[in-house]
Amino acid sequence: MKDAITNGCDVLLIGYEDQENLGLRSIAAFLTGHGVRAKIEPYDRSLKDNILARIRMENPGIVGFSLIFQRMLFEFADLMTYLRQNGVTAHFTVGGHFTSIEFERTLELIPELDSVVRHEGEQTLLELFHSVDQHDSWSQIKGLAYRDDGRIKVTPPRPLIQDLDSIPPPVRSGTITTHRGLGICSILGSRGCYYNCSFCSIQEFYGEAPGPKRRSRSPSNIVCEMKQLFSERGIRIFIFQDDCWCMKGHKHQQWIRDFVRELKKEKISDQILWRISCRVDDVNAELISRMKEVGLMCIYIGIESGSNQGLKTFNKHYAVDDVYKALGTLRELKMPFEYGFMIFDPDSTMATVKENIAFLKEIGRDGQVIAHFCKMVPYAGTSIARRLEEEGRLEGTVNSPDYNYNDSRLNLLQLFFSQTFNFRNFDNNGLVERLRLAKFDAIVLNKFFSDRCDARAYTQAVRDLTRQSNESALEVMSMAANFMEMQNEEEILDNWQFLENLAREEKYTEMRIASDLDRLTSRYDFEEGI
């Protein structure tokens, strides 16, 4: 390892940072706390030259890549090739869910890569730093996969970190994300998840490493970080990135009560907003009421399907009636929510798709949430991917796994939905994201700026536009599904013009709603800051 007194850094961590990459930031803080000069460079596929220039300036001994998304595998491979071609000789290592699970395939596909840090990376990367020039000692580093004389070797998995309070808070540097002058940041209260949803790789990522499936920081430790961010960086809005905010069982319920008490004790609860994610069967009226009193503003809830067959496929362990009950509780508490939803899955039929559309119509009828949807992706390491492979149905590529449906007409329905709603559902300028942002903006105005505007009127206007968008999109989806259900593939293709006409009507409606939204938000545009 190069001399520690030289300029630059010892370890440069590169990762996707559209939202704060708390995994990278935690590793950077841990390394720094152990005397290793660690820095972070945000990843952007269009800025390879910037990354190369940063590496040349910092001259790190190790460059660590955070591969959060499986779909970005070959983007990172191209980046590593580019860096090697331009003379970068540092040790390249990578971490993340996919690379931990598919470490052999990762090393085979990316010859420029020297090692894979598996599972939680703090201690493993620290030990690698101290031994990077001593290849023979790598076999003693737990949680590492690497090349050795043309073969791939892997060491035993490293036990998971038991005491999350022992890890320093994530590195916070650079520009603060703001909304109306209020600082926003991500924060993490726990690691892991108890559940085993068939489409999720979290269990596989943590499951091989010894230790509890889920671990929490202490309430006082989290609130201490929140207060520091509040005081030193002006953060007023906290987005908890926990995989699941558990509300079942005495232990977790007491944890939440203690967390609420700590927020009240530090006297910041009336000056902040925060968001959590939870399962349908974790919704607890008493606990949510307590959290709402200290700033809880929104819950992201993993609904996933409005069909009992879909919920069974996803191994959710609850039924559609349970979903309606949970959403009813949130509405009674006047707690805003967002949700995840996969309208297509490997067991989809025309009937289940129509059930999903009817479900979205019901929950979006009042405009409190925007209707949106996607297709379930069989990520590496998930039980659904293994099942599809056993059935001979796993298709696509390593970075974009896919499958076809038992009813081939669903491939055409998926194509129509994708062509018609892709921009609406997934683009930052599409209606889904814009209406979500307006909904969030209304919550912020009501909390911090109610003396400057009629936040209630704004909230209602956003709901009206959301309701209109839901009605239009879901009616088009219903008509398309009914049309295809009555015909075979050849007839569908022969009459595709009918579907194109539906798509044009939807695009026109989206443009009108977007214009109305522009006019609405412009009326609430005023000087920011509190």
Side-chain angles (χ1 to χ4, degrees), residues 7 84 103 133 276 291 297 455 480:
N7 293 326
R84 291 296 193 213
F103 60 90
D133 294 328
I276 61 172
M291 291 188 284
M297 65 165 174

Side-chain angles (χ1 to χ4, degrees), residues 197-431:
C197 301
S198 65
F199 57 87
C200 183
S201 61
I202 292 170
Q203 276 284 2
E204 189 75 14
F205 176 74
Y206 288 109
E208 187 181 353
K213 292 181 178 180
R214 185 182 185 275
R215 296 138 294 140
S216 298
R217 297 165 62 187
S218 66
S220 60
N221 183 265
I222 298 171
V223 173
C224 180
E225 182 186 1
M226 293 173 72
K227 186 173 183 181
Q228 183 177 15
L229 291 167
F230 176 92
S231 301
E232 297 179 5
R233 295 179 66 83
I235 303 300
R236 296 294 182 271
I237 301 167
F238 298 87
I239 311 299
F240 278 89
Q241 300 287 6
D242 301 47
D243 296 314
C244 183
W245 191 274
C246 295
M247 299 187 218
K248 287 190 290 190
H250 174 75
K251 173 184 173 183
H252 296 112
Q253 291 172 356
Q254 187 58 50
W255 187 97
I256 290 173
R257 294 186 183 102
D258 291 344
F259 178 69
V260 169
R261 187 180 64 252
E262 289 291 332
L263 277 176
K264 288 181 177 179
K265 185 174 74 174
E266 294 299 336
K267 295 181 171 53
I268 61 171
S269 60
D270 60 340
Q271 303 174 69
I272 61 172
L273 291 172
W274 45 287
R275 191 188 90 154
I276 61 172
S277 301
C278 78
R279 284 170 53 94
V280 163
D281 48 4
D282 265 314
V283 170
N284 179 302
E286 182 254 328
L287 294 176
I288 292 172
S289 294
R290 286 175 179 261
M291 291 188 284
K292 185 178 180 182
E293 290 176 0
V294 292
L296 180 63
M297 65 165 174
C298 184
I299 296 178
Y300 178 90
I301 188 166
I303 294 175
E304 316 308 357
S305 180
S307 157
N308 282 325
Q309 177 59 58
L311 294 173
K312 181 180 179 181
T313 296
F314 297 149
N315 200 34
K316 296 301 293 185
H317 301 292
Y318 53 74
V320 174
D321 285 346
D322 299 314
V323 179
Y324 281 126
K325 181 179 178 182
L327 298 186
T329 297
L330 295 179
R331 284 191 164 94
E332 288 175 7
L333 296 171
K334 294 182 171 54
M335 173 55 62
F337 67 93
E338 297 294 342
Y339 63 95
F341 200 84
M342 295 175 281
I343 197 167
F344 292 111
D345 65 69
D347 299 319
S348 287
T349 64
M350 282 292 181
T352 63
V353 171
K354 291 174 69 174
E355 287 175 14
N356 278 325
I357 294 171
F359 175 86
L360 290 174
K361 284 184 177 181
E362 182 61 31
I363 70 168
R365 191 179 305 279
D366 59 3
Q368 288 195 44
V369 287
I370 182 71
H372 64 93
F373 51 88
C374 66
K375 177 182 181 178
M376 191 221 76
V377 178
Y379 291 114
T382 61
S383 61
I384 199 73
R386 288 191 292 271
R387 193 196 104 187
L388 288 168
E389 189 168 20
E390 291 169 1
E391 295 174 356
R393 295 175 59 197
L394 188 62
E395 301 178 357
T397 60
V398 63
N399 65 318
S400 183
D402 202 357
Y403 53 89
N404 282 318
Y405 306 99
N406 292 319
D407 183 344
S408 57
R409 293 176 300 174
L410 288 176
N411 293 314
L412 294 175
L413 186 59
Q414 179 195 319
L415 174 64
F416 172 73
F417 282 4
S418 178
Q419 290 177 339
T420 306
F421 299 107
N422 189 70
F423 179 81
R424 174 192 182 273
N425 286 356
F426 303 113
D427 195 279
N428 285 337
N429 293 313
L431 274 183

Side-chain angles (χ1 to χ4, degrees), residues 372-506:
H372 64 93
F373 51 88
C374 66
K375 177 182 181 178
M376 191 221 76
V377 178
Y379 291 114
T382 61
S383 61
I384 199 73
R386 288 191 292 271
R387 193 196 104 187
L388 288 168
E389 189 168 20
E390 291 169 1
E391 295 174 356
R393 295 175 59 197
L394 188 62
E395 301 178 357
T397 60
V398 63
N399 65 318
S400 183
D402 202 357
Y403 53 89
N404 282 318
Y405 306 99
N406 292 319
D407 183 344
S408 57
R409 293 176 300 174
L410 288 176
N411 293 314
L412 294 175
L413 186 59
Q414 179 195 319
L415 174 64
F416 172 73
F417 282 4
S418 178
Q419 290 177 339
T420 306
F421 299 107
N422 189 70
F423 179 81
R424 174 192 182 273
N425 286 356
F426 303 113
D427 195 279
N428 285 337
N429 293 313
L431 274 183
V432 168
E433 189 58 31
R434 292 195 61 202
L435 286 167
R436 277 178 178 162
L437 180 59
K439 174 181 173 179
F440 167 72
D441 188 38
I443 293 171
V444 171
L445 289 181
N446 188 60
K447 173 75 173 185
F448 297 106
F449 303 101
S450 58
D451 59 331
R452 302 194 201 180
C453 64
D454 188 344
R456 289 187 178 181
Y458 184 30
T459 299
Q460 187 56 54
V462 171
R463 285 184 181 177
D464 288 343
L465 292 177
T466 301
R467 176 184 51 76
Q468 293 174 39
S469 178
N470 291 346
E471 289 175 353
S472 174
L474 292 168
E475 182 59 24
V476 167
M477 292 166 66
S478 290
M479 293 177 70
N482 289 334
F483 166 76
M484 291 194 185
E485 187 178 36
M486 302 299 293
Q487 304 188 60
N488 60 38
E489 285 184 81
E490 184 176 350
E491 291 170 331
I492 292 169
L493 292 171
D494 286 343
N495 294 283
W496 195 263
Q497 184 63 48
F498 170 76
L499 297 170
E500 290 183 349
N501 291 339
L502 290 179
R504 273 196 296 272
E505 292 176 12
E506 168 62 18

